[in-house]
Amino acid sequence: MDYLYDGSFEGVLTAIYYNYYEEKAEGIYHKDRYQFSLATNSKFLKSDPQLAAKVYTAVEQKISNEALRQIYYVYLSNHPNKENLILRYLELAFKLGAKINSYYTHPAVLPVLKTAKQVSFEAHRFFGLLRFAEARNCLYAALEPDNNIIILLADHFADRLAKENFIIHDKRRNIAVVYNRKEWFLADLPKDVKIDFTDDEAFYQQLWQSYFQHIGIDSRKNTKLQTQFVPHRYRKNLVEFNY
Amino acid sequence: MDTLEKLAVLADAAKYDVSCASSGVNKKNKGGIGNSKAYGICHTWSQDGRCISLLKILLTNYCIYNCSYCVNRNQNDIQRAHLTPKEVADLTIQFYRRNYIEGLFLSSAVEHNPNHTMENILHTLQILRNNYHFYGYIHVKVIPGTDPALIHKIGLLADRMSVNIEQPSEQSLRLLAPQKRLQAILTPMQQINTEILINSEERRKYRRVRKFVPAGQSTQMIIGASKDSDFTILKATETLYKQFALKRVYFSAYIPINDGPNLPALTTAPPLLREHRLYQADWLLRFYKFQAEEILSPKYPNLDIEFDPKISWALRNIHLFPLEINKASYEELLRIPGVGLISAHRILSQRRIAPVSYEHLGKMGVVLKRAKYFLTCQGRYYGEIPSEPSLIRQRLAPAPQATQLTLF
């Protein structure tokens, strides 16, 4: 049986529950990306918070917090087959328990750890590469990350910029983290949203661009190294690369 | 001069300082702006490939000193500028809010005397910490000759402090910076180290003691302006780590900016590869449990430019290899070229459950191209050639640069 879910993390966990308590899952797929075939049966599962919570605590208690974090990060990734990576990993992990990650090279483990690492690495990168601009009533930052990471950025910036209102806008997925000096939440935000920036903003951007030019040492020039750290696909939203 | 020009001048004057790390301390925002993560965060990378984490800037580049290697020495005819403490603090906050930076790296040339300069630096930190409630990262450069009481006050506000050792030996220092004395450099270093130790002891006993330089101290030395060997440099580095518990010793390849009788010619290219090899050796000291004397000795005073220091060491000590990957201790695994801290850890972790095969090693991140000559896996050697230094050297030597053949 192929289980189809609605794209939420709860949905994936619900499917995992069905895999154990209903019919075994051949695979788990996003309902909008599933290719129907005559050979396999498929069934759409509505996300069930209670069933999802059961799986969630089971992972936490019978495997480890670490494993829970790994599968959540995989869920946030853009891996085309991520649901099934999670399924295969959990099937093995429920048998082996907390020592699962010691089987580093196992074909059900390695892709999960690698994908989770990519996601956490990209999130870490954007702790640095995110750029806010001062709008009339908040700070606004746009980014186009490979993975769905803005939720991983939220706590970090909510602590750091506790007394600011801010929006972190994932323009690729049309979603945003919105913080109002008390708490943050996720919201839908269209790609072409109009932002009204303050008059000072251009001045500070110019200062930063000039600083960026002057801090580099000409006789050590190494743009290949620079590209390794700041890939071209990220540069569109970086002030210092657009002047 | 407007702010834009001043920033340009003072960034230009600060860029030869190497450190830009924002690591070593975890801090939460306690009702103001900013926090800090022990792993450090890089915000961008300049065209030389160096990370930009902090706003690295001098308060002024007017200088009474005339150190021959320095771009800001007083005989140089360059643009000079000042920033006031308030200007630096405002700039830091505005950049920080926009997430351009992780904090401030404040240094300065010496306009009148060390105390005058350090008082301005203290003032900047007071504005940032006390008026703006800034909890981000601050690294302060200490000028030798500063009053210890002043250093103490700054240390309570800064996260990291550094005193530049400048040169790896006393002779080179005398030759290139005749107004500076080694003793004057080591004195504040010693003071900071002692105060950090006392502070951590006090913090163990009492809860409300203010932290003193919680991210520790670092230093930097210039490579290639003097004739010191790599052995001298590495020994000095090791001594600094042991004696002053430094977090980092930075090396900076000398970039000829000035002409002088004791300096390399202006046309000399900066020794970037040498600097890279020294950093690799520094990593061996800090993370791989090597001693300086294992890596170099009076007999081999300089690092091999073609090979990294771990391979050079392994080739000189080939009698210790090959090591069986399923039996070697953690310390031994770390000595195998191509095995790093993380892959050694993964090997150990899997070994507790199942033997590690050669195929596994690649997946675990071991660089087999180098490692295969120095290990066996379940008893088998995969090197293809005898484990013989001259042969391995041939295989691992960098490919010769391709040159265009001429037709005639």
Side-chain angles (χ1 to χ4, degrees):
Chain A
M1 175 72 78
D2 281 346
Y3 288 126
L4 311 185
Y5 79 114
D6 57 5
S8 69
F9 188 52
E10 282 184 350
V12 179
L13 296 183
T14 307
I16 302 281
Y17 183 91
Y18 274 78
N19 174 55
Y20 282 100
Y21 292 97
E22 301 282 327
E23 197 175 335
K24 204 152 168 42
E26 298 285 336
I28 304 172
Y29 299 91
H30 194 293
K31 66 173 172 22
D32 300 337
R33 285 195 287 272
Y34 185 64
Q35 300 227 316
F36 289 92
S37 78
L38 293 172
T40 14
N41 283 328
S42 63
K43 182 172 165 191
F44 173 72
L45 299 176
K46 203 165 157 287
S47 292
D48 184 326
Q50 275 177 340
L51 299 185
K54 276 187 185 163
V55 177
Y56 189 96
T57 26
V59 174
E60 221 173 9
Q61 287 170 1
K62 295 194 172 148
I63 310 169
S64 64
N65 276 321
E66 180 61 14
L68 188 60
R69 201 182 61 93
Q70 311 277 17
I71 58 165
Y72 183 58
Y73 278 29
V74 172
Y75 159 74
L76 294 177
S77 77
N78 64 348
H79 194 289
N81 198 22
K82 59 188 181 183
E83 299 85 0
N84 293 315
L85 293 187
I86 296 174
L87 175 67
R88 302 292 162 239
Y89 174 79
L90 284 184
E91 280 181 336
L92 185 67
F94 277 125
K95 284 183 201 149
L96 295 173
K99 63 182 178 192
I100 175 78
N101 289 353
S102 292
Y103 289 82
Y104 185 81
T105 53
H106 192 286
V109 179
L110 188 60
V112 164
L113 297 186
K114 279 217 158 132
T115 311
K117 182 137 189 252
Q118 273 169 18
V119 173
S120 88
F121 177 61
E122 194 181 34
H124 175 77
R125 255 183 167 162
F126 273 97
F127 283 168
L129 291 176
L130 196 72
R131 294 289 174 268
F132 285 102
E134 191 181 54
R136 296 271 173 226
N137 43 20
C138 71
L139 292 171
Y140 170 83
L143 71 165
E144 285 156 83
D146 301 336
N147 304 294
N148 185 9
I149 55 160
I150 54 171
I151 204 160
L152 302 177
L153 304 179
D155 282 337
H156 175 78
F157 287 104
D159 181 55
R160 174 164 289 209
L161 302 172
K163 293 190 171 170
E164 308 267 4
N165 295 307
F166 66 73
I167 295 173
I168 300 172
H169 186 185
D170 183 340
K171 281 192 162 177
R172 185 179 273 193
R173 294 169 186 81
N174 298 326
I175 51 172
V177 162
V178 179
Y179 175 75
N180 60 8
R181 299 203 212 180
K182 281 203 254 342
E183 58 191 2
W184 61 264
F185 52 90
L186 272 179
D188 290 331
L189 195 64
K191 204 191 319 259
D192 49 4
V193 61
K194 253 297 250 171
I195 306 287
D196 190 12
F197 294 108
T198 60
D199 300 334
D200 281 352
E201 181 51 30
F203 172 64
Y204 284 107
Q205 294 199 357
Q206 197 192 356
L207 279 179
W208 177 242
Q209 285 158 348
S210 158
Y211 176 78
F212 181 72
Q213 288 303 309
H214 283 274
I215 205 70
I217 299 177
D218 287 337
S219 52
R220 299 185 62 121
K221 190 165 176 165
N222 190 348
T223 43
K224 207 176 140 201
L225 187 60
Q226 185 189 30
T227 308
Q228 262 177 42
F229 291 121
V230 194
H232 286 279
R233 66 180 186 282
Y234 291 152
R235 295 190 182 182
K236 194 162 61 172
N237 295 307
L238 290 171
V239 174
E240 63 270 27
F241 288 95
N242 297 287
Y243 47 88
Chain B
M1 220 190 276
D2 65 12
T3 315
L4 190 63
E5 277 175 280
K6 284 200 245 179
L7 182 66
V9 170
L10 293 170
D12 261 328
K15 69 183 168 194
Y16 298 101
D17 252 311
V18 189
S19 169
C20 204
S22 56
S23 54
V25 60
N26 267 322
K27 273 192 307 186
K28 281 203 153 236
N29 181 0
K30 292 177 194 147
I33 175 171
N35 60 19
S36 156
K37 301 279 182 192
Y39 47 71
I41 296 172
C42 295
H43 282 250
T44 191
W45 282 263
S46 54
Q47 43 137 0
D48 47 23
R50 298 190 307 162
C51 129
I52 300 176
S53 177
L54 306 171
L55 170 62
K56 183 161 31 177
I57 200 168
L58 300 190
L59 266 177
T60 177
N61 63 343
Y62 285 97
C63 199
I64 53 170
Y65 291 132
N66 201 28
C67 307
S68 54
Y69 50 80
C70 181
V71 66
N72 301 315
R73 63 175 178 176
N74 62 13
Q75 76 175 74
N76 281 7
D77 181 22
I78 51 168
Q79 254 194 319
R80 308 266 173 179
H82 287 278
L83 281 170
T84 64
K86 174 105 177 22
E87 281 174 316
V88 174
D90 286 339
L91 210 51
T92 306
I93 295 291
Q94 289 305 332
F95 278 7
Y96 193 88
R97 285 178 71 215
R98 290 168 173 79
N99 205 38
Y100 298 163
I101 54 170
E102 203 51 25
L104 176 66
F105 178 176
L106 191 56
S107 178
S108 181
V110 181
E111 194 174 2
H112 303 294
N113 58 61
N115 281 341
H116 170 264
T117 305
M118 293 309 285
E119 261 159 32
N120 277 331
I121 288 184
L122 173 65
H123 191 195
T124 314
L125 265 56
Q126 283 168 336
I127 299 175
L128 275 170
R129 295 289 199 220
N130 302 341
N131 300 3
Y132 296 159
H133 305 286
F134 176 67
Y135 291 91
Y137 197 90
I138 301 181
H139 177 162
V140 170
K141 188 68 73 187
V142 177
I143 296 158
T146 306
D147 190 72
L150 196 51
I151 293 181
H152 175 78
K153 278 190 204 162
I154 294 172
L156 290 173
L157 298 174
D159 293 293
R160 173 165 285 186
M161 288 176 110
S162 58
V163 193
N164 283 358
I165 190 102
E166 311 288 13
Q167 295 295 331
S169 70
E170 191 154 19
Q171 298 112 284
S172 315
L173 190 69
R174 210 171 295 147
L175 211 56
L176 298 173
Q179 289 152 295
K180 288 185 180 164
R181 290 278 168 270
L182 184 64
Q183 201 46 50
I185 293 171
L186 295 182
T187 307
M189 229 183 238
Q190 182 64 57
Q191 183 200 343
I192 295 168
N193 186 34
T194 314
E195 289 209 37
I196 290 176
L197 286 174
I198 294 173
N199 183 252
S200 63
E201 194 57 39
E202 280 176 352
R203 265 168 36 213
R204 212 167 295 149
K205 287 186 198 147
Y206 313 107
R207 279 178 58 206
R208 288 186 191 278
V209 178
R210 276 169 78 187
K211 289 183 181 171
F212 183 87
V213 196
Q217 63 170 331
S218 63
T219 190
Q220 75 170 28
M221 59 175 90
I222 298 161
I223 303 306
S226 62
K227 299 203 162 55
D228 298 293
S229 70
D230 291 345
F231 183 57
T232 313
I233 294 169
L234 217 55
K235 268 311 263 185
T237 305
E238 190 177 51
T239 312
L240 287 166
Y241 284 131
K242 284 188 177 156
Q243 204 165 336
F244 302 103
L246 294 189
K247 293 283 180 192
R248 278 298 294 274
V249 174
Y250 290 95
F251 305 119
S252 104
Y254 176 66
I255 294 161
I257 351 174
N258 299 327
D259 218 355
N262 299 326
L263 286 171
L266 276 177
T267 47
T268 321
L272 296 180
L273 191 52
R274 185 179 174 203
E275 179 196 276
H276 176 61
R277 294 290 181 227
L278 279 165
Y279 273 126
Q280 290 179 316
D282 173 64
W283 245 255
L284 293 183
L285 292 183
R286 289 192 296 138
F287 299 115
Y288 291 77
K289 303 175 186 179
F290 274 79
Q291 307 288 322
E293 259 132 18
E294 292 179 282
I295 303 168
L296 292 171
S297 63
K299 211 171 133 205
Y300 302 98
N302 289 305
L303 294 168
D304 198 334
I305 286 297
E306 283 197 339
F307 297 98
D308 72 58
K310 202 173 172 192
I311 289 199
S312 303
W313 172 84
L315 290 173
R316 282 201 309 272
N317 293 282
I318 198 74
H319 59 278
L320 301 173
F321 298 101
L323 284 166
E324 169 55 46
I325 216 84
N326 284 296
K327 289 193 181 134
S329 67
Y330 183 63
E331 284 73 19
E332 286 173 325
L333 287 176
L334 288 183
R335 299 247 157 177
I336 302 174
V339 176
L341 295 168
I342 294 177
S343 46
H345 213 82
R346 285 179 186 151
I347 291 170
L348 278 193
S349 167
Q350 177 164 330
R351 242 167 48 178
R352 274 182 220 122
I353 289 158
V356 176
S357 76
Y358 190 68
E359 286 67 43
H360 290 153
L361 287 180
K363 288 182 186 165
M364 288 176 171
V366 173
V367 185
L368 292 172
K369 186 183 136 197
R370 294 200 286 278
K372 63 179 174 185
Y373 307 109
F374 302 98
L375 55 82
T376 60
C377 224
Q378 296 170 300
R380 202 179 142 190
Y381 173 73
Y382 290 83
E384 292 157 3
I385 51 164
S387 182
E388 178 73 43
S390 59
L391 295 175
I392 300 173
R393 205 172 267 274
Q394 240 174 44
R395 283 283 184 101
L396 287 174
Q401 291 280 315
T403 47
Q404 176 101 42
L405 294 175
T406 50
L407 262 176
F408 304 102

